[in-house]
């Protein structure tokens, strides 16, 4: 483990993500958040998050870092939208803190993860009607997979 607590490379000296780490999205404010698919296990040398939000329809696997679970079935929307807003706002706030490596993860790392990252972009000041394109340009061109996920992002600012 490196001095910043990240296994292998991928963390900055302040303990946050290295912008060149796979899946890391830089929000306009400079906050760094990693998106990831849980079906692809982390390599032993990959940096680990200090805080993760898991977006799954069933209870996520145990991990050695702090997590929050949003019940969110594949291709759909969060079951409890108020709770999702609370957790995503917490993730956005924590991403501005030195020493925090925030990760957003679903099964594949595209639909639900992309939708949540687009919501973080809205919290960060990206206009809601531009947030999906922002995430597709800067994270994964296939992010946010369904029309209702796009509508959810557009309505997230309300």
């Amino acid at each position: 483990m490196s001095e910043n607590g990240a296994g292998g490379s991928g963390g900055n000296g302040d303990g946050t993500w290295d912008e060149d780490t796979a899946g890391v999205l830089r929000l306009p404010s400079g906050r760094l958040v990693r998106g990831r698919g849980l079906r692809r296990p982390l390599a032993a040398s990959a940096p680990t998050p200090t805080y993760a939000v898991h977006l799954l329809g069933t209870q996520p696997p145990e991990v050695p870092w702090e997590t929050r679970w949003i019940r969110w079935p594949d291709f759909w929307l969060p079951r409890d939208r108020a709770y999702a807003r609370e957790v995503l706002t917490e993730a956005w706030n924590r991403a501005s803190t030195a020493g925090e490596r925030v990760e957003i993860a679903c099964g594949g790392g595209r639909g639900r993860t992309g939708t949540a990252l687009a919501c973080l972009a809205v919290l960060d000041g990206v206009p809601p009607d531009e947030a999906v394109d922002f995430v597709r340009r800067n994270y994964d061109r296939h992010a946010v997979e369904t029309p209702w996920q796009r509508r959810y992002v557009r309505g997230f600012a309300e």
Side-chain angles (χ1 to χ4, degrees):
M1 228 182 239
S2 68
E3 67 182 35
N4 64 17
S9 63
N12 284 324
D14 66 358
T16 60
W17 295 116
D18 182 327
E19 194 168 340
D20 295 327
T21 300
V24 171
L25 172 69
R26 176 179 286 279
L27 295 167
S29 66
R31 287 171 169 90
L32 299 173
V33 179
R34 180 172 72 183
R36 184 169 74 89
L38 294 170
R39 286 192 296 264
R40 291 182 301 276
L42 282 174
S45 63
T48 57
T50 56
Y51 177 76
V53 177
H54 292 160
L55 316 167
L56 297 168
T58 59
Q59 187 161 351
E62 292 289 324
V63 291
W65 50 83
E66 185 180 353
T67 64
R68 299 279 298 267
W69 170 34
I70 298 175
R71 189 179 297 269
W72 191 331
D74 201 7
F75 296 106
W76 292 99
L77 298 174
R79 293 286 187 220
D80 183 336
R81 294 183 190 165
Y83 177 71
R85 174 178 285 283
E86 173 190 317
V87 171
L88 293 175
T89 300
E90 179 182 1
W92 178 76
N93 284 322
R94 290 179 73 151
S96 69
T97 304
E100 288 277 21
R101 287 184 307 279
V102 175
E103 176 177 86
I104 306 293
C106 66
R110 287 187 166 169
R112 292 166 288 180
T113 295
T115 302
L117 290 172
C119 291
L120 295 184
V122 170
L123 291 171
D124 208 60
V126 175
D129 60 336
E130 297 174 20
V132 170
D133 287 336
F134 174 83
V135 170
R136 286 178 174 170
R137 272 192 323 274
N138 297 290
Y139 170 68
D140 185 312
R141 65 187 178 99
H142 299 292
V144 191
E145 296 174 313
T146 68
W148 42 92
Q149 289 173 339
R150 288 190 291 277
R151 278 194 303 273
Y152 178 72
V153 172
R154 281 195 307 272
F156 195 76
E158 299 169 359

